[in-house]
Amino acid sequence: MSLLSRYHELLAVFSRRRYAILAATVPLLVAVALLFGSYGASEALWSVAAVATIIAGSAPIVRFALRTFLAPVKATLHLIERRELQPALLDLVVARLRWFPLYVAALLAAICDIAAIGSPIVGNLISGEPTARNL
C-alpha cells in the first residue's frame, strides 16, 4: 500500500467522523440556542431551522478549510512516491500534522459558536421579533 493511498484512506475515515460530529452537535446547539431565551413557537422553529442550516452550510466550508490545511501534506506524499522529495517540505508537513488536532478543534468550535449565536438572531429576524430579544 502506498503512502498516498493510505493518506486517502485515513482522510475518508476522518471525513465520515467529521460528518458524524457535525450531526451529533445539532441537538446540543439547538439546546444552547433555545436555553437562554423566551421563545414563541415561531421563533423556536426558525431558530432550530437556522441551526440546521448553519451546520449543513458549514460542511463544505470545513471541507475546503481542511483540504487547504492538508494540501502541503498531500503534495509531499506525491513527491515521496515519485522519489523527488525535498527535505525542506518535511518540516512543513511535520508542523502541519502537529497542529492538525488543534486546527480541527478550533474549526469545529468556531462553527458551534456561530450556530449558537447566529441561530437566535436569524430566528428572531425571520419571525419578525426584535433581533436581540433572545440573546
Side-chain angles (χ1 to χ4, degrees), residues 46-109:
W46 286 113
S47 293
V48 170
V51 167
T53 303
I54 290 169
I55 293 298
S58 68
I61 295 169
V62 169
R63 182 177 183 209
F64 174 76
L66 292 175
R67 281 184 177 221
T68 304
F69 188 81
L70 292 174
V73 176
K74 186 176 181 179
T76 303
L77 290 176
H78 277 296
L79 290 174
I80 288 173
E81 286 195 345
R82 291 189 312 221
R83 305 209 189 285
E84 301 172 3
L85 181 63
Q86 299 169 1
L89 291 175
L90 286 178
D91 293 334
L92 177 63
V93 167
V94 169
R96 289 285 172 118
L97 293 177
R98 185 173 293 145
W99 284 101
F100 185 67
L102 182 62
Y103 182 78
V104 170
L107 196 59
L108 289 175

Side-chain angles (χ1 to χ4, degrees), residues 105-130:
L107 196 59
L108 289 175
I111 290 169
C112 290
D113 289 344
I114 290 169
I117 294 170
S119 61
I121 294 172
V122 171
N124 288 341
L125 285 173
I126 294 174
S127 65
E129 294 296 324

Side-chain angles (χ1 to χ4, degrees), residues 27-39 44 47 116 119-120 134-135:
L28 173 67
L29 291 173
V30 168
V32 168
L34 299 179
L35 183 65
F36 299 109
S38 57
Y39 289 88
S47 293
S119 61
N134 293 312
L135 290 181

